[in-house]
Amino acid sequence: GRGHSTLGPLIDGLGRPYDILALKPAFKCYPCCYETHRGLDAILHIVSNQEIDPNAVEAVICGMPERVAKSLIHTNPVTGLEAKFSMEYAVVAAILDKRVGLQSFTDEMVGRPSVRALLARVQRNLRPGSDNAEEPTIVTVKLKDGREFSNSVAFPKGNPAVPLTRSELEAKYCDCAREALSEEDVQRSLEMLSNLEELEDIRTLTSILGKKRG
């Protein structure tokens, strides 16, 4: 009506912190389909706490909701791109290498005989559909001697509920930066980024980031 101002709510909000500042950031921990991340956290927890000989593995069972499997369309990937959408490759790479990074998703890495052999022992156990985004992925490793190791993950690393530690963030940066920079420049740039407020001239950093590895 007459005299009504639409600026009232805006003016009332001045001086209050924006909601966006209160949001916790999410980071994608692994360079592959997000639906593999719960499974990756689960298997990496197992292999970091148990000595798993790939040759002693009888089966790896990945229990996950049907909706998750719809994105993971490759059960027997043969290229790096296909492997990014494969729960099977994700857990196999984790067992063999004890880590998963950018270098895990090359055609050469996917084509390793050890990968091909272990892929054949990975199975999916799909659960009926659910709208619960927090439904866990459960990975179970069965060994030929009868031992079993299992782990369940609902919130993958990088989720606001499980934020990455500083060392994990730095490791992710280095993994990415090594694709373009020399090891020396990776470490120099990381040190500068870690002390950005003390950097006298930002061009010192941008000159490094603009380099090509050679």
Short mmCIF file of all heavy atoms in Angstrom, two decimals, residues 35-96:
data_model
loop_
_atom_site.label_atom_id
_atom_site.label_comp_id
_atom_site.label_asym_id
_atom_site.label_seq_id
_atom_site.Cartn_x
_atom_site.Cartn_y
_atom_site.Cartn_z
N GLU A 35 30.03 -40.51 -6.14
CA GLU A 35 29.37 -41.69 -5.57
C GLU A 35 30.35 -42.79 -5.20
O GLU A 35 29.99 -43.73 -4.51
CB GLU A 35 28.33 -42.22 -6.56
CG GLU A 35 27.18 -41.25 -6.88
CD GLU A 35 26.27 -40.98 -5.68
OE1 GLU A 35 26.61 -41.37 -4.55
OE2 GLU A 35 25.21 -40.37 -5.88
N THR A 36 31.60 -42.68 -5.65
CA THR A 36 32.61 -43.67 -5.23
C THR A 36 33.26 -43.29 -3.90
O THR A 36 33.96 -44.11 -3.31
CB THR A 36 33.73 -43.80 -6.28
OG1 THR A 36 34.48 -42.56 -6.34
CG2 THR A 36 33.18 -44.14 -7.66
N HIS A 37 33.05 -42.06 -3.45
CA HIS A 37 33.84 -41.55 -2.33
C HIS A 37 33.58 -42.26 -1.00
O HIS A 37 34.51 -42.46 -0.22
CB HIS A 37 33.63 -40.05 -2.18
CG HIS A 37 34.26 -39.26 -3.29
ND1 HIS A 37 34.67 -37.95 -3.15
CD2 HIS A 37 34.57 -39.60 -4.57
CE1 HIS A 37 35.20 -37.52 -4.28
NE2 HIS A 37 35.14 -38.50 -5.15
N ARG A 38 32.34 -42.66 -0.75
CA ARG A 38 32.07 -43.41 0.48
C ARG A 38 32.82 -44.75 0.46
O ARG A 38 33.41 -45.16 1.44
CB ARG A 38 30.57 -43.62 0.66
CG ARG A 38 29.77 -42.35 0.90
CD ARG A 38 28.29 -42.67 1.03
NE ARG A 38 27.49 -41.47 1.21
CZ ARG A 38 27.04 -40.72 0.22
NH1 ARG A 38 27.32 -41.04 -1.04
NH2 ARG A 38 26.32 -39.63 0.46
N GLY A 39 32.74 -45.40 -0.69
CA GLY A 39 33.45 -46.67 -0.83
C GLY A 39 34.95 -46.51 -0.71
O GLY A 39 35.63 -47.36 -0.11
N LEU A 40 35.48 -45.43 -1.27
CA LEU A 40 36.92 -45.19 -1.18
C LEU A 40 37.35 -44.95 0.27
O LEU A 40 38.36 -45.49 0.71
CB LEU A 40 37.29 -43.98 -2.05
CG LEU A 40 37.59 -44.30 -3.51
CD1 LEU A 40 37.70 -43.03 -4.33
CD2 LEU A 40 38.87 -45.12 -3.62
N ASP A 41 36.59 -44.14 0.99
CA ASP A 41 36.93 -43.92 2.39
C ASP A 41 36.90 -45.23 3.18
O ASP A 41 37.76 -45.48 4.03
CB ASP A 41 35.96 -42.92 3.02
CG ASP A 41 36.33 -41.48 2.73
OD1 ASP A 41 37.39 -41.23 2.12
OD2 ASP A 41 35.55 -40.59 3.10
N ALA A 42 35.91 -46.05 2.86
CA ALA A 42 35.77 -47.32 3.57
C ALA A 42 36.95 -48.25 3.31
O ALA A 42 37.55 -48.80 4.24
CB ALA A 42 34.46 -48.00 3.17
N ILE A 43 37.32 -48.42 2.04
CA ILE A 43 38.40 -49.35 1.71
C ILE A 43 39.76 -48.79 2.15
O ILE A 43 40.63 -49.54 2.62
CB ILE A 43 38.41 -49.71 0.21
CG1 ILE A 43 39.44 -50.81 -0.09
CG2 ILE A 43 38.68 -48.49 -0.65
CD1 ILE A 43 39.15 -52.13 0.57
N LEU A 44 39.96 -47.48 2.04
CA LEU A 44 41.23 -46.90 2.47
C LEU A 44 41.41 -47.01 3.97
O LEU A 44 42.54 -47.16 4.46
CB LEU A 44 41.32 -45.44 2.01
CG LEU A 44 41.59 -45.25 0.52
CD1 LEU A 44 41.40 -43.79 0.10
CD2 LEU A 44 42.99 -45.73 0.15
N HIS A 45 40.31 -46.96 4.71
CA HIS A 45 40.40 -47.18 6.16
C HIS A 45 40.86 -48.60 6.44
O HIS A 45 41.69 -48.84 7.32
CB HIS A 45 39.04 -46.93 6.81
CG HIS A 45 39.02 -47.22 8.27
ND1 HIS A 45 39.51 -46.34 9.22
CD2 HIS A 45 38.60 -48.31 8.97
CE1 HIS A 45 39.38 -46.86 10.42
NE2 HIS A 45 38.83 -48.06 10.31
N ILE A 46 40.33 -49.54 5.67
CA ILE A 46 40.71 -50.95 5.87
C ILE A 46 42.18 -51.16 5.55
O ILE A 46 42.93 -51.73 6.35
CB ILE A 46 39.82 -51.88 5.00
CG1 ILE A 46 38.38 -51.84 5.50
CG2 ILE A 46 40.37 -53.31 5.02
CD1 ILE A 46 37.40 -52.58 4.61
N VAL A 47 42.63 -50.70 4.37
CA VAL A 47 44.01 -50.98 3.96
C VAL A 47 45.03 -50.19 4.77
O VAL A 47 46.21 -50.56 4.82
CB VAL A 47 44.22 -50.73 2.45
CG1 VAL A 47 43.32 -51.65 1.63
CG2 VAL A 47 44.00 -49.27 2.09
N SER A 48 44.60 -49.11 5.41
CA SER A 48 45.53 -48.36 6.26
C SER A 48 45.68 -48.98 7.63
O SER A 48 46.64 -48.68 8.36
CB SER A 48 45.06 -46.90 6.40
OG SER A 48 43.84 -46.82 7.10
N ASN A 49 44.76 -49.87 7.99
CA ASN A 49 44.81 -50.51 9.31
C ASN A 49 45.12 -51.99 9.24
O ASN A 49 45.40 -52.62 10.28
CB ASN A 49 43.47 -50.31 10.03
CG ASN A 49 43.27 -48.89 10.50
OD1 ASN A 49 43.82 -48.47 11.52
ND2 ASN A 49 42.49 -48.11 9.75
N GLN A 50 45.06 -52.56 8.04
CA GLN A 50 45.35 -53.98 7.86
C GLN A 50 46.29 -54.17 6.69
O GLN A 50 46.20 -53.45 5.69
CB GLN A 50 44.05 -54.77 7.59
CG GLN A 50 42.98 -54.61 8.64
CD GLN A 50 43.36 -55.22 9.98
OE1 GLN A 50 44.18 -56.14 10.04
NE2 GLN A 50 42.76 -54.72 11.04
N GLU A 51 47.19 -55.12 6.80
CA GLU A 51 48.09 -55.44 5.70
C GLU A 51 47.36 -56.39 4.76
O GLU A 51 47.20 -57.58 5.06
CB GLU A 51 49.37 -56.09 6.23
CG GLU A 51 50.45 -56.25 5.17
CD GLU A 51 50.94 -54.92 4.63
OE1 GLU A 51 51.06 -53.96 5.42
OE2 GLU A 51 51.22 -54.86 3.41
N ILE A 52 46.88 -55.85 3.64
CA ILE A 52 46.10 -56.64 2.70
C ILE A 52 46.96 -56.98 1.48
O ILE A 52 47.34 -56.10 0.70
CB ILE A 52 44.83 -55.87 2.23
CG1 ILE A 52 43.96 -55.46 3.42
CG2 ILE A 52 44.04 -56.72 1.24
CD1 ILE A 52 43.35 -56.60 4.18
N ASP A 53 47.27 -58.26 1.33
CA ASP A 53 47.99 -58.74 0.16
C ASP A 53 46.96 -58.94 -0.97
O ASP A 53 46.04 -59.75 -0.82
CB ASP A 53 48.68 -60.06 0.48
CG ASP A 53 49.42 -60.64 -0.72
OD1 ASP A 53 49.38 -60.04 -1.81
OD2 ASP A 53 50.04 -61.72 -0.56
N PRO A 54 47.07 -58.19 -2.07
CA PRO A 54 46.09 -58.34 -3.15
C PRO A 54 45.92 -59.78 -3.62
O PRO A 54 44.81 -60.19 -3.99
CB PRO A 54 46.67 -57.46 -4.27
CG PRO A 54 47.49 -56.44 -3.54
CD PRO A 54 48.08 -57.17 -2.36
N ASN A 55 47.00 -60.56 -3.59
CA ASN A 55 46.92 -61.95 -4.04
C ASN A 55 46.14 -62.82 -3.06
O ASN A 55 45.72 -63.93 -3.41
CB ASN A 55 48.32 -62.53 -4.23
CG ASN A 55 49.08 -61.83 -5.34
OD1 ASN A 55 48.53 -61.56 -6.40
ND2 ASN A 55 50.34 -61.51 -5.09
N ALA A 56 45.97 -62.34 -1.84
CA ALA A 56 45.25 -63.11 -0.82
C ALA A 56 43.78 -62.75 -0.76
O ALA A 56 43.03 -63.33 0.03
CB ALA A 56 45.89 -62.87 0.55
N VAL A 57 43.34 -61.83 -1.61
CA VAL A 57 41.94 -61.39 -1.60
C VAL A 57 41.07 -62.38 -2.37
O VAL A 57 41.32 -62.67 -3.54
CB VAL A 57 41.80 -59.98 -2.22
CG1 VAL A 57 40.32 -59.60 -2.35
CG2 VAL A 57 42.53 -58.95 -1.37
N GLU A 58 40.07 -62.91 -1.69
CA GLU A 58 39.12 -63.80 -2.35
C GLU A 58 37.98 -63.02 -2.98
O GLU A 58 37.55 -63.32 -4.10
CB GLU A 58 38.55 -64.79 -1.34
CG GLU A 58 37.54 -65.77 -1.94
CD GLU A 58 37.07 -66.78 -0.93
OE1 GLU A 58 37.91 -67.51 -0.38
OE2 GLU A 58 35.85 -66.84 -0.68
N ALA A 59 37.49 -61.99 -2.28
CA ALA A 59 36.39 -61.18 -2.81
C ALA A 59 36.35 -59.84 -2.10
O ALA A 59 36.77 -59.71 -0.94
CB ALA A 59 35.06 -61.91 -2.62
N VAL A 60 35.86 -58.84 -2.83
CA VAL A 60 35.57 -57.53 -2.25
C VAL A 60 34.11 -57.23 -2.56
O VAL A 60 33.70 -57.26 -3.74
CB VAL A 60 36.46 -56.43 -2.84
CG1 VAL A 60 36.15 -55.08 -2.18
CG2 VAL A 60 37.94 -56.77 -2.68
N ILE A 61 33.32 -56.99 -1.54
CA ILE A 61 31.89 -56.76 -1.72
C ILE A 61 31.57 -55.31 -1.39
O ILE A 61 31.88 -54.83 -0.29
CB ILE A 61 31.06 -57.70 -0.83
CG1 ILE A 61 31.41 -59.16 -1.16
CG2 ILE A 61 29.57 -57.45 -1.03
CD1 ILE A 61 30.83 -60.16 -0.20
N CYS A 62 30.97 -54.63 -2.34
CA CYS A 62 30.61 -53.22 -2.17
C CYS A 62 29.09 -53.13 -2.02
O CYS A 62 28.35 -53.30 -2.99
CB CYS A 62 31.06 -52.40 -3.37
SG CYS A 62 32.84 -52.42 -3.65
N GLY A 63 28.64 -52.89 -0.81
CA GLY A 63 27.22 -52.74 -0.55
C GLY A 63 26.82 -51.28 -0.65
O GLY A 63 27.37 -50.43 0.05
N MET A 64 25.87 -51.00 -1.54
CA MET A 64 25.47 -49.60 -1.76
C MET A 64 24.04 -49.53 -2.26
O MET A 64 23.50 -50.51 -2.79
CB MET A 64 26.42 -48.94 -2.76
CG MET A 64 26.59 -49.70 -4.07
SD MET A 64 27.93 -49.03 -5.06
CE MET A 64 28.05 -50.29 -6.35
N PRO A 65 23.39 -48.37 -2.13
CA PRO A 65 22.02 -48.20 -2.61
C PRO A 65 21.96 -48.28 -4.14
O PRO A 65 22.93 -47.92 -4.82
CB PRO A 65 21.65 -46.79 -2.12
CG PRO A 65 22.63 -46.47 -1.05
CD PRO A 65 23.89 -47.18 -1.41
N GLU A 66 20.85 -48.70 -4.64
CA GLU A 66 20.67 -48.79 -6.09
C GLU A 66 20.88 -47.44 -6.77
O GLU A 66 21.43 -47.37 -7.86
CB GLU A 66 19.26 -49.32 -6.42
CG GLU A 66 19.09 -50.80 -6.09
CD GLU A 66 17.68 -51.29 -6.37
OE1 GLU A 66 16.78 -50.42 -6.51
OE2 GLU A 66 17.48 -52.50 -6.46
N ARG A 67 20.43 -46.37 -6.12
CA ARG A 67 20.55 -45.04 -6.73
C ARG A 67 22.01 -44.65 -6.94
O ARG A 67 22.35 -43.95 -7.91
CB ARG A 67 19.85 -43.99 -5.88
CG ARG A 67 20.43 -43.83 -4.48
CD ARG A 67 19.88 -42.64 -3.73
NE ARG A 67 20.44 -42.57 -2.39
CZ ARG A 67 21.65 -42.13 -2.13
NH1 ARG A 67 22.43 -41.70 -3.11
NH2 ARG A 67 22.11 -42.10 -0.89
N VAL A 68 22.90 -45.10 -6.07
CA VAL A 68 24.32 -44.82 -6.22
C VAL A 68 24.88 -45.53 -7.44
O VAL A 68 25.66 -44.96 -8.21
CB VAL A 68 25.09 -45.23 -4.95
CG1 VAL A 68 26.58 -45.20 -5.18
CG2 VAL A 68 24.71 -44.34 -3.78
N ALA A 69 24.47 -46.77 -7.62
CA ALA A 69 24.99 -47.57 -8.73
C ALA A 69 24.61 -47.02 -10.09
O ALA A 69 25.30 -47.27 -11.08
CB ALA A 69 24.48 -49.01 -8.60
N LYS A 70 23.55 -46.23 -10.16
CA LYS A 70 23.12 -45.67 -11.45
C LYS A 70 24.16 -44.74 -12.05
O LYS A 70 24.22 -44.58 -13.27
CB LYS A 70 21.79 -44.94 -11.27
CG LYS A 70 20.61 -45.87 -10.99
CD LYS A 70 19.32 -45.09 -10.80
CE LYS A 70 18.16 -46.02 -10.50
NZ LYS A 70 16.88 -45.28 -10.29
N SER A 71 24.96 -44.12 -11.21
CA SER A 71 26.01 -43.24 -11.71
C SER A 71 27.30 -43.99 -12.01
O SER A 71 28.14 -43.51 -12.79
CB SER A 71 26.31 -42.14 -10.68
OG SER A 71 25.17 -41.36 -10.42
N LEU A 72 27.46 -45.14 -11.41
CA LEU A 72 28.70 -45.91 -11.54
C LEU A 72 28.49 -46.99 -12.60
O LEU A 72 28.30 -48.16 -12.30
CB LEU A 72 29.08 -46.50 -10.19
CG LEU A 72 29.20 -45.45 -9.07
CD1 LEU A 72 29.49 -46.12 -7.74
CD2 LEU A 72 30.25 -44.41 -9.40
N ILE A 73 28.54 -46.55 -13.85
CA ILE A 73 28.08 -47.39 -14.96
C ILE A 73 29.11 -48.39 -15.46
O ILE A 73 28.79 -49.26 -16.27
CB ILE A 73 27.60 -46.51 -16.14
CG1 ILE A 73 28.74 -45.61 -16.62
CG2 ILE A 73 26.40 -45.68 -15.72
CD1 ILE A 73 28.37 -44.76 -17.83
N HIS A 74 30.36 -48.28 -14.99
CA HIS A 74 31.41 -49.17 -15.49
C HIS A 74 31.86 -50.15 -14.40
O HIS A 74 32.47 -49.75 -13.41
CB HIS A 74 32.60 -48.36 -15.99
CG HIS A 74 32.28 -47.50 -17.18
ND1 HIS A 74 32.04 -48.02 -18.43
CD2 HIS A 74 32.13 -46.16 -17.28
CE1 HIS A 74 31.77 -47.03 -19.26
NE2 HIS A 74 31.82 -45.89 -18.59
N THR A 75 31.54 -51.42 -14.61
CA THR A 75 31.97 -52.44 -13.65
C THR A 75 33.32 -53.05 -14.04
O THR A 75 34.01 -53.61 -13.19
CB THR A 75 30.93 -53.57 -13.58
OG1 THR A 75 30.78 -54.15 -14.87
CG2 THR A 75 29.58 -53.04 -13.09
N ASN A 76 33.70 -52.90 -15.31
CA ASN A 76 34.97 -53.45 -15.80
C ASN A 76 35.63 -52.42 -16.71
O ASN A 76 35.76 -52.63 -17.92
CB ASN A 76 34.72 -54.76 -16.54
CG ASN A 76 36.01 -55.48 -16.91
OD1 ASN A 76 37.00 -55.41 -16.17
ND2 ASN A 76 36.03 -56.14 -18.04
N PRO A 77 36.06 -51.29 -16.15
CA PRO A 77 36.58 -50.20 -16.97
C PRO A 77 37.90 -50.56 -17.64
O PRO A 77 38.69 -51.32 -17.09
CB PRO A 77 36.77 -49.06 -15.97
CG PRO A 77 37.02 -49.77 -14.68
CD PRO A 77 36.14 -50.98 -14.71
N VAL A 78 38.13 -49.97 -18.81
CA VAL A 78 39.39 -50.21 -19.53
C VAL A 78 40.14 -48.91 -19.82
O VAL A 78 41.26 -48.94 -20.32
CB VAL A 78 39.14 -50.98 -20.84
CG1 VAL A 78 38.62 -52.37 -20.56
CG2 VAL A 78 38.19 -50.23 -21.76
N THR A 79 39.52 -47.76 -19.54
CA THR A 79 40.18 -46.48 -19.73
C THR A 79 40.12 -45.68 -18.43
O THR A 79 39.33 -45.97 -17.54
CB THR A 79 39.50 -45.65 -20.84
OG1 THR A 79 38.18 -45.25 -20.39
CG2 THR A 79 39.40 -46.45 -22.13
N GLY A 80 40.95 -44.64 -18.35
CA GLY A 80 40.95 -43.80 -17.17
C GLY A 80 39.62 -43.10 -16.96
O GLY A 80 39.17 -42.96 -15.81
N LEU A 81 38.99 -42.67 -18.04
CA LEU A 81 37.70 -41.98 -17.92
C LEU A 81 36.63 -42.93 -17.42
O LEU A 81 35.83 -42.57 -16.53
CB LEU A 81 37.29 -41.39 -19.27
CG LEU A 81 35.96 -40.64 -19.30
CD1 LEU A 81 35.96 -39.49 -18.30
CD2 LEU A 81 35.64 -40.13 -20.70
N GLU A 82 36.59 -44.14 -17.95
CA GLU A 82 35.61 -45.12 -17.45
C GLU A 82 35.85 -45.44 -15.98
O GLU A 82 34.91 -45.60 -15.21
CB GLU A 82 35.71 -46.40 -18.29
CG GLU A 82 35.20 -46.26 -19.71
CD GLU A 82 35.35 -47.53 -20.52
OE1 GLU A 82 35.97 -48.50 -20.02
OE2 GLU A 82 34.84 -47.58 -21.66
N ALA A 83 37.12 -45.48 -15.58
CA ALA A 83 37.46 -45.83 -14.20
C ALA A 83 36.93 -44.80 -13.21
O ALA A 83 36.67 -45.13 -12.05
CB ALA A 83 38.97 -45.95 -14.06
N LYS A 84 36.75 -43.56 -13.65
CA LYS A 84 36.23 -42.53 -12.75
C LYS A 84 34.78 -42.78 -12.37
O LYS A 84 34.28 -42.20 -11.41
CB LYS A 84 36.36 -41.15 -13.40
CG LYS A 84 37.81 -40.69 -13.52
CD LYS A 84 37.89 -39.25 -13.99
CE LYS A 84 39.34 -38.77 -13.98
NZ LYS A 84 39.46 -37.33 -14.26
N PHE A 85 34.11 -43.64 -13.12
CA PHE A 85 32.71 -43.96 -12.86
C PHE A 85 32.57 -45.45 -12.54
O PHE A 85 31.64 -46.11 -13.00
CB PHE A 85 31.84 -43.56 -14.06
CG PHE A 85 31.88 -42.09 -14.34
CD1 PHE A 85 32.83 -41.56 -15.19
CD2 PHE A 85 30.99 -41.23 -13.72
CE1 PHE A 85 32.89 -40.19 -15.44
CE2 PHE A 85 31.03 -39.87 -13.95
CZ PHE A 85 31.99 -39.34 -14.80
N SER A 86 33.52 -45.95 -11.78
CA SER A 86 33.54 -47.37 -11.44
C SER A 86 33.89 -47.56 -9.97
O SER A 86 35.00 -47.22 -9.53
CB SER A 86 34.57 -48.11 -12.30
OG SER A 86 34.74 -49.44 -11.87
N MET A 87 32.94 -48.09 -9.19
CA MET A 87 33.24 -48.43 -7.81
C MET A 87 34.27 -49.55 -7.76
O MET A 87 35.15 -49.58 -6.88
CB MET A 87 31.97 -48.85 -7.06
CG MET A 87 32.20 -49.18 -5.59
SD MET A 87 32.66 -47.73 -4.60
CE MET A 87 31.01 -47.04 -4.31
N GLU A 88 34.17 -50.48 -8.72
CA GLU A 88 35.09 -51.62 -8.75
C GLU A 88 36.54 -51.15 -8.87
O GLU A 88 37.42 -51.59 -8.13
CB GLU A 88 34.73 -52.55 -9.92
CG GLU A 88 33.46 -53.35 -9.71
CD GLU A 88 32.17 -52.54 -9.92
OE1 GLU A 88 32.26 -51.37 -10.34
OE2 GLU A 88 31.09 -53.09 -9.66
N TYR A 89 36.78 -50.24 -9.81
CA TYR A 89 38.16 -49.77 -9.98
C TYR A 89 38.62 -48.98 -8.77
O TYR A 89 39.78 -49.08 -8.34
CB TYR A 89 38.31 -48.93 -11.24
CG TYR A 89 39.72 -48.40 -11.37
CD1 TYR A 89 40.75 -49.24 -11.80
CD2 TYR A 89 40.05 -47.09 -11.01
CE1 TYR A 89 42.07 -48.79 -11.88
CE2 TYR A 89 41.36 -46.63 -11.09
CZ TYR A 89 42.36 -47.48 -11.53
OH TYR A 89 43.66 -47.03 -11.59
N ALA A 90 37.73 -48.18 -8.20
CA ALA A 90 38.10 -47.36 -7.05
C ALA A 90 38.65 -48.21 -5.92
O ALA A 90 39.72 -47.92 -5.36
CB ALA A 90 36.90 -46.55 -6.57
N VAL A 91 37.95 -49.29 -5.57
CA VAL A 91 38.41 -50.12 -4.45
C VAL A 91 39.65 -50.91 -4.83
O VAL A 91 40.54 -51.13 -4.00
CB VAL A 91 37.29 -51.05 -3.93
CG1 VAL A 91 36.13 -50.24 -3.39
CG2 VAL A 91 36.81 -52.03 -5.00
N VAL A 92 39.75 -51.33 -6.08
CA VAL A 92 40.93 -52.07 -6.53
C VAL A 92 42.18 -51.19 -6.47
O VAL A 92 43.24 -51.60 -5.98
CB VAL A 92 40.72 -52.61 -7.96
CG1 VAL A 92 42.05 -53.03 -8.59
CG2 VAL A 92 39.76 -53.80 -7.94
N ALA A 93 42.06 -49.96 -6.97
CA ALA A 93 43.20 -49.04 -6.93
C ALA A 93 43.63 -48.77 -5.50
O ALA A 93 44.82 -48.68 -5.20
CB ALA A 93 42.83 -47.73 -7.64
N ALA A 94 42.66 -48.64 -4.60
CA ALA A 94 42.98 -48.39 -3.20
C ALA A 94 43.71 -49.57 -2.57
O ALA A 94 44.65 -49.39 -1.79
CB ALA A 94 41.70 -48.09 -2.42
N ILE A 95 43.29 -50.78 -2.90
CA ILE A 95 43.96 -51.98 -2.36
C ILE A 95 45.38 -52.09 -2.88
O ILE A 95 46.32 -52.37 -2.13
CB ILE A 95 43.15 -53.24 -2.70
CG1 ILE A 95 41.82 -53.26 -1.93
CG2 ILE A 95 43.96 -54.50 -2.39
CD1 ILE A 95 40.89 -54.37 -2.36
N LEU A 96 45.56 -51.84 -4.17
CA LEU A 96 46.88 -52.00 -4.79
C LEU A 96 47.85 -50.90 -4.40
O LEU A 96 49.04 -51.15 -4.16
CB LEU A 96 46.74 -52.06 -6.31
CG LEU A 96 46.07 -53.30 -6.89
CD1 LEU A 96 45.84 -53.11 -8.39
CD2 LEU A 96 46.90 -54.54 -6.63
#
